[in-house]
Amino acid sequence: MSRVADTIAQRNREAGGALIGYLPAGFPDLETSIEAAVALAENGVDVIELGLPYSDPVMDGTVIQAATQQALAGGFRLRDGFTAVREITKRADIPVLVMTYWNPVLQYGVDRFADDLAAAGGAGLITPDLIPDEGADWLAASDRAGLDRVFLAAPTSTDERLRRTVEASRGFVYAVSTMGITGARSDVDAAARTLIGRLREAGATSACVGVGISTGAQVREVLEYADGAIVGSALVKALADGGVEAVARTAAELAGGAAR
């Protein structure tokens, strides 16, 4: 059972597809990040992706890097991520996935991390730098704790790697539409459509596209072939420039692209 997969499936039955929104915990401060995440849920976002700030964010673009570095400079600690999940899930009735690089989980303890995330009401993890072949500890811990596990697939992945990724993932497979770091782009890479097709051939029933989506029109374009669209930098920039109100407006505009 996967609440994330169920939510995505429901949105594909009832609307154009699912909208997944990313924000970093602790930016610009912990309380505001919680309010901003709740605003996502109140303005059409179907699944929240809550990022844990990390000192070496190799996949993140400049907007997200600046936000996470500010959160760390403001004193963010990993345990604050569990606090954020707990407070968000008290107020928002949508799944909250945590996006984290793998090293903080290892340092915290894989089983302890799984238990604390489940206790806080979290739905699971997105792990951008962990591949299924190296994730035995997380596969076991997530099974035991009943958590989803979202692995990434890239246009350069071999067919065998895609098959393994599909088999190991629960919730959805995260299709990276362009190679490189995250960030809003004027055009969503056409490679995303091909990658989703390859994931379907590998058996994926829930595949969402992220990296480079920043407008409602792009959300609509992606949902023509994918189950969900993931937006990050556009929401983080809105929060940085205009606070929670701007996040709410941006989320609502993006959600318009997911309407049938």
Side-chain angles (χ1 to χ4, degrees):
M1 297 294 293
S2 164
R3 188 181 176 204
V4 171
D6 289 347
T7 298
I8 292 171
Q10 180 179 352
R11 291 299 293 161
N12 277 270
R13 290 191 301 268
E14 299 177 353
L19 175 62
I20 300 167
Y22 167 92
L23 286 173
F27 173 76
D29 55 67
L30 186 60
E31 181 178 353
T32 305
S33 69
I34 292 167
E35 294 297 325
V38 172
L40 295 185
E42 294 174 343
N43 286 276
V45 169
D46 303 301
V47 177
I48 292 171
E49 176 185 346
L50 189 70
L52 295 186
Y54 181 52
S55 58
D56 187 23
V58 293
M59 184 185 164
D60 297 326
T62 55
V63 171
I64 294 176
Q65 280 194 29
T68 56
Q69 292 304 309
Q70 182 175 329
L72 290 170
F76 179 87
R77 296 293 181 265
L78 192 149
R79 63 180 178 272
D80 297 326
F82 299 119
T83 299
V85 171
R86 184 176 299 107
E87 293 305 312
I88 294 164
T89 55
K90 282 180 182 177
R91 297 170 56 189
D93 188 26
I94 66 172
V96 177
L97 287 166
V98 167
M99 196 290 283
T100 179
Y101 293 95
W102 188 237
N103 189 57
V105 180
L106 282 178
Q107 295 298 318
Y108 193 83
V110 177
D111 286 315
R112 179 185 173 208
F113 193 105
D115 289 342
D116 287 357
L117 179 59
L125 287 186
I126 299 171
T127 49
D129 61 342
L130 180 70
I131 61 174
D133 294 1
E134 299 173 358
D137 289 348
W138 172 234
L139 296 179
S142 57
D143 280 341
R144 181 182 55 76
L147 294 169
D148 283 345
R149 48 188 185 239
V150 177
F151 292 103
L152 271 62
T156 54
S157 299
T158 65
D159 290 344
E160 175 62 19
R161 175 56 57 80
L162 292 184
R163 184 186 64 78
R164 293 180 183 178
T165 300
V166 169
E167 289 177 351
S169 294
R170 184 166 56 224
F172 63 91
V173 179
Y174 191 130
V176 182
S177 66
T178 56
M179 297 307 296
I181 59 177
T182 62
R185 293 174 174 82
S186 59
D187 296 303
V188 176
D189 193 345
R193 190 183 295 264
T194 300
L195 178 57
I196 292 294
R198 294 177 63 207
L199 285 168
R200 301 286 190 219
E201 292 174 358
T205 58
S206 186
C208 303
V209 171
V211 185
I213 304 169
S214 58
T215 67
Q218 288 177 338
V219 169
R220 184 174 296 108
E221 174 190 344
V222 165
L223 293 180
E224 291 176 359
Y225 56 88
D227 302 296
I230 305 165
V231 182
S233 293
L235 291 167
V236 178
K237 187 175 188 304
L239 180 57
D241 293 346
V244 174
E245 290 185 3
V247 167
R249 289 194 302 270
T250 302
E253 191 274 330
L254 293 164
R260 175 166 289 164

